[in-house]
C-alpha cells in the first residue's frame, strides 16, 4: 500500500535537497512512468517532488503550476493524507511567491501557507524553511515589521536545517533579515554563504534570482555603478554558461545594468543592455516591468523624450487582457515623466500620485515606487508646490524606512 510507496519515495525526496537533485529527479520520473507506484497518493507525492524541481531547479512557475493545480483540487477534496496535503499547499505557497510577476499573488501565498502551516509537523524543519521562504515573499512588500515577524516565526527551523538547499535558503533569509535590521555586513556575509551553496548545487536559475535581488537592492542603495555591474555581470555570465531558460530575474539584471551604465554616462552600453533585455523578454514571453523606469531614464538622458509615449504604450500592451488590476502603473509612471518633461505639471502630478498610491501588492510595484516618488517630488517643486513636495518627501522617507534596500 501507501507505506511501500512512501518507503520508495522518502529517500528521493530527501535527495532533492542535496547536490544529487538531478539524479533524484530522473529516478522520480522513472518510478512515475514505470508504474512502480501503486497508490494515487504515492503518485501525488512523486509529482510534488517533480514540482519542487520545477521551482528550485528551473524557476519554471508556469510548468509547476500546471502540474500542481490537479493536486490542489485533490487536497481541497480531502483525498490526501496529512503529509501529502501539507506538501501540496506548501508548493502552492512557494509557486505563488516566486519571482514572476505573471503569477505572483499575495492572497494565494497566504492562504496556502496557512493551510501548510496547520498540517506540517512542528519538527519538519526542511519543509518549514521552504514555508518561511514563501511567507517572506508575500510579506516583504508589506514592510519591515511583517518581514521580521515572519522571519522570527521561522527562525527555529532556519537554525536547525541540515540539507544543502535548506542551508542555502536559510542564508538568503538571514541576509534579508540583516538588511532589514540595517546590518549590511551581516547581510553580505549571510547572502554570500547562501549563494556559494547554490553554486555547489548548480541551481543556476535560483542563483540568478537571488543575485538579481541583490543587484536591485544595490541600485536602490548607496552603491557605485561599477559595483552594481560586478553583480550583474557575474550573474549574467553564470546564467549564460548554464544556458538557463529565460526567467524574469534576467530581465531585472539587465534593468540594473541599464541604470548603472546611465549613472556612469555609458549610454551605448546601456542601449546594448536594453536590446539584450528585449530579446530575453521576447524569447520567454516575460513581463518587462523592471525595465520601465531604467529605460525611461535612458530615453530621457539620450534626448529621445519623443519615444516615451511609445515605451509606455508597449508596457501597457503587455497587460492588455490581464485580469490584474493596475498592471499598467508602469505605463502611468513613464507617462508621468513624459508629461513633466513637456511641462504639463498638473497631468504629471496626477499620474505619479496614482503610482505612489497604488496598492502595495500590485505586481512589480517594488521596482517602481522609489523612482515614482522622486519624480513626483520634482514635479511638485517645478509646480511651485513646496508644501506638497515636502509632504511627498516625508511619505517617501516613511516608505523607504519600511522597505529598506
Amino acid at each position: 500500500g501507501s507505506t511501500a510507496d512512501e518507503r520508495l519515495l522518502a529517500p528521493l525526496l530527501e535527495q532533492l535537497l542535496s547536490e544529487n537533485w538531478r539524479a533524484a529527479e530522473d529516478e522520480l520520473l522513472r518510478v512515475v512512468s514505470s508504474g512502480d507506484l501503486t497508490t494515487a497518493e504515492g503518485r501525488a507525492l512523486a509529482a510534488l517532488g517533480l514540482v519542487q524541481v520545477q521551482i528550485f531547479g528551473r524557476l519554471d512557475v508556469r510548468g509547476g503550476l500546471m502540474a500542481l493545480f490537479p493536486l490542489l483540487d485533490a487536497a481541497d477534496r480531502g483525498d490526501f493524507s496529512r503529509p501529502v496535503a501539507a506538501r501540496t499547499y506548501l508548493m502552492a505557497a512557494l509557486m505563488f511567491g516566486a519571482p514572476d510577476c505573471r503569477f505572483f499573488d499575495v492572497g494565494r501565498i497566504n492562504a496556502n501557507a496557512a493551510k501548510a502551516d496547520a498540517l506540517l509537523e512542528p519538527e519538519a524543519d526542511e519543509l518549514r524553511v521552504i514555508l518561511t521562504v514563501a511567507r517572506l515573499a508575500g510579506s516583504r512588500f508589506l514592510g519591515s515589521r511583517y518581514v521580521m515577524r515572519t522571519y522570527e516565526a521561522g527562525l527555529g527551523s532556519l537554525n536547525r536545517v541540515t540539507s544543502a538547499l535548506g542551508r542555502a535558503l536559510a542564508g538568503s533569509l538571514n541576509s534579508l533579515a540583516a538588511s532589514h535590521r540595517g546590518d549590511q555586513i551581516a547581510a553580505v556575509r549571510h547572502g554570500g554563504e547562501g549563494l556559494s551553496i547554490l553554486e555547489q548545487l548548480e541551481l543556476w536559475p535560483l542563483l540568478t534570482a537571488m543575485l538579481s535581488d541583490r543587484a536591485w537592492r544595490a541600485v536602490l542603495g548607496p552603491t557605485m555603478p561599477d559595483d552594481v555591474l560586478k553583480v550583474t555581470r557575474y550573474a549574467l555570465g553564470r546564467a549564460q554558461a548554464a544556458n538557463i531558460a529565460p526567467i524574469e530575474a534576467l530581465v531585472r539584471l539587465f534593468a540594473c545594468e541599464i541604470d548603472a551604465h546611465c549613472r556612469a554616462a555609458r549610454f551605448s552600453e546601456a542601449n546594448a543592455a536594453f536590446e539584450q533585455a528585449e530579446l530575453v523578454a521576447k524569447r520567454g514571453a516575460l513581463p518587462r516591468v523592471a525595465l520601465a523606469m531604467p529605460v525611461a531614464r535612458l530615453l530621457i538622458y539620450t534626448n529621445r523624450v519623443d519615444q516615451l509615449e511609445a515605451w509606455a504604450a508597449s508596457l501597457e500592451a503587455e497587460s492588455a487582457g490581464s485580469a490584474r488590476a493596475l498592471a499598467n502603473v508602469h505605463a502611468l509612471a513613464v507617462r508621468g515623466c513624459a508629461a513633466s518633461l513637456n511641462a504639463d505639471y498638473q497631468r504629471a502630478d496626477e499620474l505619479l500620485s496614482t503610482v505612489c498610491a497604488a496598492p502595495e501588492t500590485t505586481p512589480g510595484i517594488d521596482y517602481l515606487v522609489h523612482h515614482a516618488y522622486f519624480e513626483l517630488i520634482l514635479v511638485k517643486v517645478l509646480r511651485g508646490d513646496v508644501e506638497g513636495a515636502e509632504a511627498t518627501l516625508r511619505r517617501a522617507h516613511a516608505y523607504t524606512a519600511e522597505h529598506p534596500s
Side-chain angles (χ1 to χ4, degrees), residues 81-388:
S81 65
R82 184 173 169 162
V84 177
R87 205 179 264 266
T88 305
Y89 292 125
L90 174 63
M91 288 299 127
L94 189 66
M95 283 285 174
F96 288 116
D100 189 322
C101 287
R102 294 168 299 179
F103 307 106
F104 184 84
D105 190 321
V106 172
R108 290 166 103 169
I109 296 170
N110 292 338
N112 286 295
K115 290 177 186 173
D117 191 17
L119 294 169
L120 281 172
E121 296 299 332
E123 66 280 359
D125 292 324
E126 301 293 343
L127 296 177
R128 285 191 170 276
V129 166
I130 295 173
L131 181 64
T132 307
V133 168
R135 284 193 147 152
L136 275 167
S139 65
R140 57 181 295 187
F141 299 114
L142 305 176
S144 275
R145 284 195 308 280
Y146 296 96
V147 167
M148 294 312 287
R149 196 181 304 157
T150 306
Y151 170 76
E152 277 151 19
L155 196 52
S157 295
L158 293 180
N159 289 336
R160 289 189 298 267
V161 76
T162 57
S163 74
L165 178 61
R167 294 198 328 275
L169 297 174
S172 153
L173 299 182
N174 289 333
S175 174
L176 181 70
S179 70
H180 276 266
R181 285 195 304 267
D183 184 350
Q184 280 314 320
I185 293 168
V188 170
R189 190 184 75 243
H190 288 304
E193 287 163 7
L195 292 169
S196 67
I197 299 171
L198 288 182
E199 289 207 337
Q200 289 158 23
L201 292 172
E202 299 185 358
L203 290 170
W204 304 121
L206 196 53
L207 181 81
T208 305
M210 286 189 181
L211 286 170
S212 84
D213 208 50
R214 178 180 280 201
W216 195 263
R217 291 211 297 256
V219 160
L220 296 179
T223 312
M224 298 300 280
D226 285 337
D227 291 330
V228 175
L229 291 170
K230 272 182 202 150
V231 180
T232 59
R233 294 226 170 104
Y234 179 72
L236 290 166
R238 279 294 194 210
Q240 201 175 0
N243 198 22
I244 70 170
I247 52 173
E248 199 176 304
L250 289 171
V251 178
R252 201 179 343 169
L253 284 164
F254 284 121
C256 295
E257 289 226 313
I258 294 165
D259 242 344
H261 283 310
C262 283
R263 288 178 193 185
R266 293 193 286 257
F267 299 120
S268 58
E269 286 96 327
N271 274 320
F274 177 34
E275 280 167 23
Q276 285 180 285
E278 290 277 71
L279 284 172
V280 169
K282 196 170 181 179
R283 224 175 80 219
L286 299 166
R288 296 172 301 163
V289 291
L291 296 170
M293 293 307 270
V295 170
R297 275 196 288 275
L298 172 62
L299 294 174
I300 291 164
Y301 296 153
T302 51
N303 215 11
R304 291 178 281 174
V305 174
D306 56 340
Q307 291 176 28
L308 284 172
E309 178 49 44
W311 175 233
S314 82
L315 289 169
E316 204 160 44
E318 214 162 80
S319 62
S322 162
R324 325 227 25 193
L326 281 164
N328 65 348
V329 284
H330 300 83
L332 296 183
V334 173
R335 289 200 173 105
C337 292
S340 167
L341 287 157
N342 293 321
D344 186 349
Y345 300 131
Q346 187 178 337
R347 177 170 155 75
D349 195 329
E350 284 164 11
L351 290 168
L352 292 163
S353 295
T354 303
V355 175
C356 292
E360 302 224 305
T361 50
T362 305
I365 194 74
D366 48 322
Y367 308 150
L368 196 62
V369 173
H370 286 78
H371 308 306
Y373 269 123
F374 173 80
E375 296 292 339
L376 183 57
I377 292 162
L378 187 61
V379 165
K380 287 188 183 291
V381 170
L382 292 169
R383 287 186 81 177
D385 177 9
V386 177
E387 230 167 276

